[in-house]
């Protein structure tokens, strides 16, 4: 159910005067944008609290077989809107979202040549801005190819930045680099920057039918970047037909990096729910699954003697899940096609045929009997046409079995037998098709190795979560190049800004001597619990094996912690150092806090002023034990309970690679 | 004058047994190397204090038109040496260097095919190890092309790393990236790593006639790297003729990153002085020059009205230098060929023809009359053949004028009109020719944009210093993408390990409103002084204009600080955070300390136990003022003097972007 509050003032001016500079600012006036069309060349600049953030930066396009669309433009119309509204999420980090912005829309027309028309809209919020281009219907621009988007970001300072490289083999699955922005070659977004008392993140919203934007340093070793759209295999950046709108180019701005995580800019810039009432199948929750035992070498995706996906093993998971507050059980390797080195060949997966030894009908029935659901799995090995040919049937199959959630994978360095990038318009189109097909059959989507998040979950609320990060799997897999202890307190400041992350926390057994002697999960157990709060996902995995959870009182936190929130507050943190989040359960008055550190120990004084003023809470604290250390002693934890008045301060003592998880139950 | 102390025990074993594993360890037994020839495939591994540092890593070559040279090898001879000697530097960070190592040399021979022979020598010191290959004279390997060096570095942990990317346009002139080693694509050396209580730096020594080594992540996102030799334009990595030896591949190892800076490994692995007595012209010292006024837009390299190089201006510098302890004055733009955009065209420089308005004979005479020297300048604009055609004449010209020092430049993204990398065998050969020619005419070399340092200064003591770093010039130049405050406390831990750095500190005026409104030098003035101690160079510039030094009592520190040391101790630091160095003047009993911070303020308790025990010193302290801050108030400094007993502790209070410089005069 959604409540809309509208307050809209529209001032539409049709002006034939030669106005060349247009100002638009955030409701609180801290962010000011100047759009300049001097000498026919559009550009923009941004300041925050009087300090420059983006210096004059070009706008425009290179359309194939046409003159550059960035010169000789004059302003045809200027429209302004003042929006103060609020909307309600279907699920998410918070229930109510304020959508307050000031908008400037310009229609620009070329003064000569093809006299093409280009729209340019800026929306300025208190937490950042978005701008996009619009190609209205017109005679000289109908079906066309975008060879280059000329949008620039001329950073005002040589900010410190955190980023992952684009155009590499492992998609978004890199640990983050920290450097002066001048040292970046080409980076994926979100790109997070900090300096001069300002934190900035550049990304995009509503990537619906376009290539994803990467940012390229246009003058190596300097600090002016240009949108670099990930191309199709044939070099085309975008196939477009007017009328069309590009995604929003977003610049989130705040006083600190941690404050960026409280921004709703991306969701606000996406279209409202197109699916209507999805409450019959869209349910945030927790899941377990036959998966980590494959990564740690105990079982295999392939059929045969070490086959992970068996009816018996699935029932063990279901039995454990049914005794706990776990809503779904995933089974990877359940279907035919996993034989041998499946990632090296043309895909052979069949999406409606279970492998021998796995009775999917029985397992799904058993799960439902126990009050939960089997979670489907579609690994495509990056073979898109192979998958699309079966896709409709595959989702219908799940619907028939009562499966309402699917985890998907696109393992491979390029799509379609090495041809297409994971981040071009090709993948954007494919993935939207997946999400729409899943919705048609009442299935939630959790996608790995897919295109980055740009907030489309608002429009398609069955699009729950995705990986697009170097996940927990790297800590278990072979070779033994796991994530550093700082990774989990870094990516929420970068990747995390884009949306939910299926990182899969919850590992309680930290080494795998037999098959993975050199592997380690680089946290303490208490920090694993903290990740359920510091990393947001509406589908949150309990990644470890049932037998590894047995006898651990700490599992109660995983039982208790919800996956859907009415409020979320990033309380404190520094990129790659530590992070503290407080979130309120959407379905009770309980609050949860997660605090996580990198490899350094640290204390954090948690002021509980987010709790209901005057109320009393029972607080359960899961903390690192005195001798806890991610390297030598990760399983040392202590659970304490006490009564607390809202507003009291708790000292959280995090050990190296450690953290703390807290549950506040209102009395 | 050099003193040699020899203690050598040689154990040469000719063994035809099938020994397959060979151990060699450091004198203190902390570093242990295992060389393994099991199944004919050579590999090595390294541990430090029992912890793995390098796991089993392949060795070998791919020679053009031959089978890979890494299989079917058996051990022909095993030689061992135990060396305990000491040698004296001509100039440098310290007078005496201990050269203590254990050596293992193996002769390997293929069991079939061409029966090629390959030598493999490991030298293990307390501060690291070096290993190199040798191609002895043999029938089936005479003149050959190396297509690939197969040396691998399989890091034991996913260490935190600091690095700059290879194969980019700006040579070594990048601010450093910090990331998990797994996020590296391809990096220049020195590559500095830290983790698990160990600090490591991978580099090379004695790059005499070979391509420089970069390190490429061979399985993207993992932690095994392979030597990637920078190729010639035609793809050849190395032209070789047996007998030949490769450079040493070096792995420095210590408990902390700061301790890496006390290592002499690179010099120890270079050949002794080949030039003999160079005392007539090789003199460490300080210089000023007509240079910073060009970078900050006050003057021009090109001839004409804003021409920086004029007789009058040079004499102003000489007058100032003569009143201070400055040994040389550089004049950039002194010669013909600087008209217009010289870096975009075929070079037009003439190296023995002064530009109109600059009377080089008069200036050189005037300098010598005042007791100092004019410093020559050779900018090549990366045009090697253009330069080499004039090189002999150019150095003879300087010799005739009494010029004993030259600063060189190779500005350009590639050498020879865009063809060759700056880091391939082509440049290595050229630069050695430069150094040898300079020696022939009694000239010291300070080279910018040249090949990285690998310790050749030991062999050629006229090879004084070089840039190979993103220098001070980036803070002054246009565009305004300067260095971050952490840069100067980061590169000494990486680039600095390779040898002297001509960073050119000493700026006393921090903004350039008129021509460079957005530029800043991101330090306090006190930190500028500290850099004379924290950054080592035997030729140390006082980079600012004479008029900017006028009236500053702080200039006394630049007057006093020497450029040649009898001892150097890296006392404390963290990569990119802070750095404290103590150095003892080679020609007196005085000590100097530099302490520098990044953008954060911090206090450092300096324990003066490096001073002569029981002695009393007069200490002069140049510190940040109470309100000093690199951004707003860099020129706030205080000078205090006091008497101090050796061993006392001084609290150094560094402000944001600040530092402290201390001079201890023995009483």
């Amino acid at each position: 159910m959604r409540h809309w509050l509208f307050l809209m003032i529209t001032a539409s001016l049709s002006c034939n005067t030669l106005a060349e500079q247009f100002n638009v600012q955030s409701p609180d006036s801290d962010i000011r944008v100047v759009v300049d069309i001097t000498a026919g060349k559009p550009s923009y600049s941004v300041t925050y609290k009087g300090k420059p953030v983006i210096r004059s930066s070009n706008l425009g396009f290179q359309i194939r077989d046409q003159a550059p669309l960035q010169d000789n433009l004059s302003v045809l119309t200027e429209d302004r809107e003042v929006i103060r509204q609020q909307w309600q999420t279907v699920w998410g980090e918070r229930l109510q979202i304020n959508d307050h912005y000031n908008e400037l829309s310009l229609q620009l027309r070329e003064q000569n040549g093809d006299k093409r028309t280009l729209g340019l809209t800026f929306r300025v919020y208190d937490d950042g801005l978005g701008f996009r281009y619009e190609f209205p219907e017109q005679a000289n621009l109908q079906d066309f190819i975008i060879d280059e988007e000329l949008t620039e970001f001329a950073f005002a300072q040589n900010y410190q930045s955190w980023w992952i490289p684009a155009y590499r083999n492992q998609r978004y699955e890199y640990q983050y680099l920290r450097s002066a922005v001048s040292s970046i070659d080409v980076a994926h977004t979100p790109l997070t920057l900090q300096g001069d008392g300002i934190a900035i993140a550049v990304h995009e919203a509503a990537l619906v039918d376009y290539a994803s934007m990467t940012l390229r340093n246009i003058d190596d070793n300097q600090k002016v970047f240009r949108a670099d759209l990930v191309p199709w295999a044939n070099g085309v950046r975008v196939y477009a037909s007017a009328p069309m709108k590009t995604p929003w180019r977003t610049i989130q701005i705040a006083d600190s990096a941690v404050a960026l995580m409280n921004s709703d800019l991306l969701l606000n810039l996406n279209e409202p729910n197109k699916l209507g009432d999805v409450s019959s199948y869209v349910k945030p929750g927790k899941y377990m699954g036959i998966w980590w035992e494959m990564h740690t070498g105990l079982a295999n995706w392939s059929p045969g003697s070490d086959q992970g996906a068996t009816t018996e093993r699935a029932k063990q998971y279901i039995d454990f899940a049914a005794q706990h507050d776990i809503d779904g059980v995933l089974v990877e390797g359940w279907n035919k096609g996993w034989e041998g080195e499946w990632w090296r060949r043309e895909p052979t997966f069949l999406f409606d045929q279970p492998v021998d030894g796995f009775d999917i009908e029985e397992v799904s029935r058993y799960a439902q009997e126990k009050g939960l659901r089997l979670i489907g799995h579609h690994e495509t090995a990056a073979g898109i046409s192979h998958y699309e040919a079966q896709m409709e049937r595959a989702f219908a199959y799940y619907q028939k079995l009562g499966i309402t959630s699917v985890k998907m994978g696109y393992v491979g360095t390029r799509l379609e037998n090495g041809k297409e990038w994971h981040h071009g318009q090709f993948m954007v189109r494919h993935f939207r098709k997946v999400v729409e097909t899943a919705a048609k059959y009442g299935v939630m989507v959790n996608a790995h190795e897919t295109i980055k998040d740009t907030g489309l979950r608002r429009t398609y609320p069955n699009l729950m979560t995705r990986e697009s990060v170097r996940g927990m799997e790297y800590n278990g897999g072979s070779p033994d190049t796991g994530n550093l202890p700082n990774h989990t307190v870094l990516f929420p400041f970068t990747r995390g800004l884009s949306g939910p992350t299926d990182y899969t926390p919850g590992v309680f057994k930290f080494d795998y001597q037999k098959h993975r002697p050199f592997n380690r999960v680089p946290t303490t157990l208490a920090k694993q619990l903290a990740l359920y709060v510091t990393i947001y996902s509406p589908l949150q995995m309990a990644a470890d094996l049932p037998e590894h959870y047995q006898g651990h009182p700490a599992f109660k936190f995983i039982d208790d912690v919800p996956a859907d929130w009415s409020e979320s507050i990033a309380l404190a943190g520094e990129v790659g150092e530590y992070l503290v989040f407080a979130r309120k359960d959407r379905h009770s008055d309980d609050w949860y806090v997660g605090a996580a550190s990198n490899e350094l120990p640290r204390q954090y004084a948690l002021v509980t002023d987010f709790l209901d003023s005057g109320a009393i809470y029972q607080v359960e604290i899961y903390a690192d034990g005195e001798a806890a250390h991610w390297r030598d002693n990760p399983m040392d934890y202590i659970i304490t309970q006490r009564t607390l008045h809202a507003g009291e301060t708790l000292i959280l003592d995090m050990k190296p690679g450690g953290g703390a998880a807290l549950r506040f139950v209102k009395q």
Side-chain angles (χ1 to χ4, degrees), chain A:
Chain A
M1 192 62 194
R2 200 170 299 128
H3 302 280
W4 293 89
L5 295 170
F6 277 94
L7 171 66
M8 189 188 294
I9 304 165
T10 302
S12 178
L13 306 167
S14 187
C15 60
N16 290 311
T17 60
L18 286 168
E20 290 186 318
Q21 273 213 348
F22 303 84
N23 298 289
V24 54
Q25 63 191 47
S26 57
D28 65 5
S29 305
D30 281 349
I31 300 175
R32 290 166 188 268
V33 179
V34 177
V35 184
D36 190 301
I37 323 288
T38 304
K41 215 171 156 56
S43 68
Y44 75 103
S45 58
V46 181
T47 61
Y48 178 65
K49 295 184 178 176
K51 290 180 184 174
V53 171
I54 304 284
R55 296 224 185 93
S56 176
S57 297
N58 292 327
L59 297 165
F61 288 92
Q62 180 61 57
I63 311 290
R64 185 160 293 186
D65 301 328
Q66 299 191 7
L69 181 50
Q70 63 168 2
D71 301 301
N72 303 308
L73 290 156
S74 73
V75 178
L76 205 65
T77 64
E78 170 193 359
D79 285 88
R80 286 179 181 273
E81 286 193 308
V82 175
I83 303 291
R84 304 288 181 269
Q85 63 190 19
Q86 199 181 46
W87 58 280
Q88 210 171 86
T89 58
V90 177
W91 48 263
E93 298 94 320
R94 67 195 109 252
L95 184 64
Q96 303 285 353
I97 292 186
N98 287 326
D99 188 21
H100 296 180
Y101 63 89
N102 297 328
E103 179 178 289
L104 164 70
S105 284
L106 300 175
Q107 286 267 6
L108 308 177
R109 178 163 295 169
E110 284 181 310
Q111 290 300 85
N112 44 31
D114 284 346
K115 293 192 184 282
R116 291 167 294 181
T117 304
L118 180 67
L120 195 54
T121 299
F122 282 79
R123 287 189 185 165
V124 190
Y125 296 74
D126 289 347
D127 56 346
L129 63 127
F131 62 91
R132 71 174 172 194
Y133 303 93
E134 184 175 351
F135 293 93
E137 220 172 325
Q138 54 194 295
N140 290 321
L141 207 57
Q142 297 183 3
D143 296 330
F144 58 99
I145 284 170
I146 296 175
D147 273 336
E148 202 82 69
E149 182 183 317
L150 304 172
T151 305
E152 290 182 0
F153 300 87
F155 296 112
Q157 302 276 337
N158 195 2
Y159 298 108
Q160 189 68 262
S161 63
W162 291 266
W163 57 288
I164 50 171
Y167 300 109
R168 294 263 293 266
N169 282 341
Q170 300 298 320
R171 305 161 305 267
Y172 304 111
E173 296 173 11
Y174 292 92
Q175 291 189 80
Y176 279 78
L177 287 67
R178 173 186 156 151
S179 76
V181 73
S182 64
S183 287
I184 299 176
D185 179 4
V186 55
H188 280 301
T189 70
L191 165 65
T192 300
L193 311 151
Q194 199 170 24
D196 201 13
I198 302 174
I200 305 157
V202 179
H203 188 48
E204 59 184 310
L207 174 52
V208 175
D209 186 12
Y210 203 79
S212 82
M213 176 177 77
T214 68
L215 297 172
R216 186 175 291 279
N217 199 329
I218 61 169
D219 192 5
D220 190 15
N221 219 357
Q222 303 299 336
K223 56 188 164 55
V224 179
F225 286 70
R226 186 180 294 149
D228 181 321
L229 305 178
V230 177
W232 293 71
N234 64 7
V236 166
R237 305 297 180 123
V238 176
Y239 289 104
S241 300
M244 68 86 81
K245 292 169 179 167
T246 70
W248 295 95
R249 279 63 191 92
T250 61
I251 304 171
Q252 286 161 289
I253 309 176
D255 292 329
S256 67
V258 75
L260 294 173
M261 282 182 279
N262 294 321
S263 163
D264 295 310
L265 184 74
L266 297 183
L267 290 180
N268 275 328
L269 288 170
N270 272 272
E271 295 299 311
N273 181 1
K274 276 172 67 167
L275 300 183
D277 181 3
V278 293
S279 59
S280 64
Y281 70 99
V282 170
K283 297 181 203 290
K286 289 161 286 184
Y287 71 103
M288 295 179 70
I290 299 176
W291 170 79
W292 187 238
E293 52 216 271
M294 276 85 116
H295 277 286
T296 54
L298 299 167
N300 235 314
W301 277 276
S302 308
S305 57
D306 287 334
Q307 177 178 327
T310 66
T311 303
E312 189 194 353
R313 184 64 171 151
K315 286 188 174 181
Q316 287 170 6
Y317 271 86
I318 291 166
D319 289 341
F320 180 90
Q323 290 159 24
H324 295 276
D325 199 4
I326 303 291
D327 308 287
V329 168
L330 166 74
V331 179
E332 294 208 359
W334 72 270
N335 60 329
K336 287 194 174 152
W338 289 88
E339 292 79 9
E341 298 196 316
W342 51 268
W343 62 92
R344 290 194 199 275
R345 62 167 181 257
E346 288 283 340
T348 53
F349 297 111
L350 300 174
F351 296 96
D352 57 357
Q353 295 192 30
V355 75
D356 290 348
F358 184 73
D359 183 344
I360 191 169
E361 293 191 26
E362 168 58 13
V363 171
S364 183
R365 185 203 62 73
Y366 188 75
Q368 288 174 63
E369 177 188 306
K370 296 274 187 171
L372 56 143
R373 302 265 185 173
L374 176 64
I375 296 174
H377 187 240
H378 288 172
E379 175 54 56
T380 65
I384 303 302
S385 42
H386 175 81
Y387 177 51
E388 286 197 2
Q390 300 179 67
M391 197 161 77
E392 198 86 23
R393 201 167 71 237
F395 280 105
Y397 180 72
Y398 280 155
Q399 189 179 45
K400 193 188 73 184
L401 290 166
I403 292 172
T404 58
S405 184
V406 66
K407 179 185 168 192
M408 354 223 335
Y410 294 92
V411 169
T413 58
R414 303 283 187 285
L415 305 171
E416 289 297 82
N417 206 12
K419 224 168 57 184
E420 300 283 352
W421 288 103
H422 279 63
H423 315 126
Q425 189 180 23
F426 175 83
M427 181 63 161
V428 170
R429 286 180 172 177
H430 162 74
F431 190 60
R432 205 185 64 228
K433 193 166 163 182
V434 168
V435 172
E436 287 171 346
T437 307
K440 184 170 149 192
Y441 293 98
V443 176
M444 298 183 280
V445 173
N446 167 7
H448 285 220
E449 302 96 25
T450 187
I451 185 77
K452 68 187 175 187
D453 202 339
T454 60
L456 281 183
R457 60 179 162 136
R458 179 179 177 189
T459 312
Y460 301 99
N462 70 321
L463 171 42
M464 307 301 288
T465 189
R466 70 187 88 197
E467 187 188 40
S468 306
V469 77
R470 202 177 198 268
M472 178 70 83
E473 61 189 19
Y474 279 84
N475 298 327
S478 172
D480 62 321
T481 307
N483 300 322
L484 292 183
N486 73 356
H487 185 56
T488 43
V489 291
L490 205 169
F491 78 74
F493 292 88
T494 51
R495 154 69 180 88
L497 297 175
S498 71
T501 310
D502 189 35
Y503 184 74
T504 73
V507 168
F508 275 29
K509 186 174 187 315
F510 292 83
D511 56 74
Y512 298 86
Q513 277 306 319
K514 191 174 164 198
H515 299 284
R516 302 280 187 262
F518 299 127
N519 274 81
R520 290 305 309 272
V521 172
T523 74
T524 63
L525 192 149
K527 179 169 165 180
Q528 286 292 315
L529 302 181
L531 300 182
Y532 286 86
V533 188
T534 56
I535 300 171
Y536 171 65
S537 181
L539 300 178
Q540 199 70 285
M541 192 176 200
D544 216 331
L545 282 47
E547 51 270 35
H548 294 166
Y549 288 136
Q550 296 290 4
H552 267 295
F555 194 79
K556 179 173 183 296
F557 186 83
I558 298 179
D559 265 352
D560 294 335
V561 70
D564 200 13
W565 310 98
S566 58
E567 288 183 49
S568 288
I569 309 166
L571 289 173
E574 292 289 343
V575 190
E577 299 291 323
Y578 75 104
L579 177 57
V580 185
F581 246 105
R583 301 189 197 265
K584 188 181 183 189
D585 183 12
R586 190 173 281 220
H587 303 293
S588 76
D589 286 327
D590 299 349
W591 279 83
Y592 291 79
V593 166
S597 182
N598 61 2
E599 66 279 9
L600 299 176
R602 70 186 82 219
Q603 287 197 328
Y604 177 72
L606 176 71
V607 183
T608 61
D609 55 4
F610 49 86
L611 298 173
D612 288 355
S613 178
I616 293 174
Y617 290 79
Q618 178 76 6
V619 55
E620 295 157 15
I621 306 171
Y622 299 75
D624 291 323
E626 260 316 299
H629 191 295
W630 72 270
R631 193 187 301 280
D632 312 303
N633 195 21
M635 294 172 78
D636 181 12
Y637 66 91
I638 38 175
I639 306 176
T640 52
Q641 297 203 1
R642 51 164 289 201
T643 302
L644 169 138
H645 287 77
E648 273 187 58
T649 296
L650 290 169
I651 303 297
L652 306 182
D653 195 9
M654 296 176 262
K655 302 302 179 188
L662 297 90
R663 178 185 183 218
F664 297 84
V665 181
K666 196 173 175 183
Q667 301 299 294

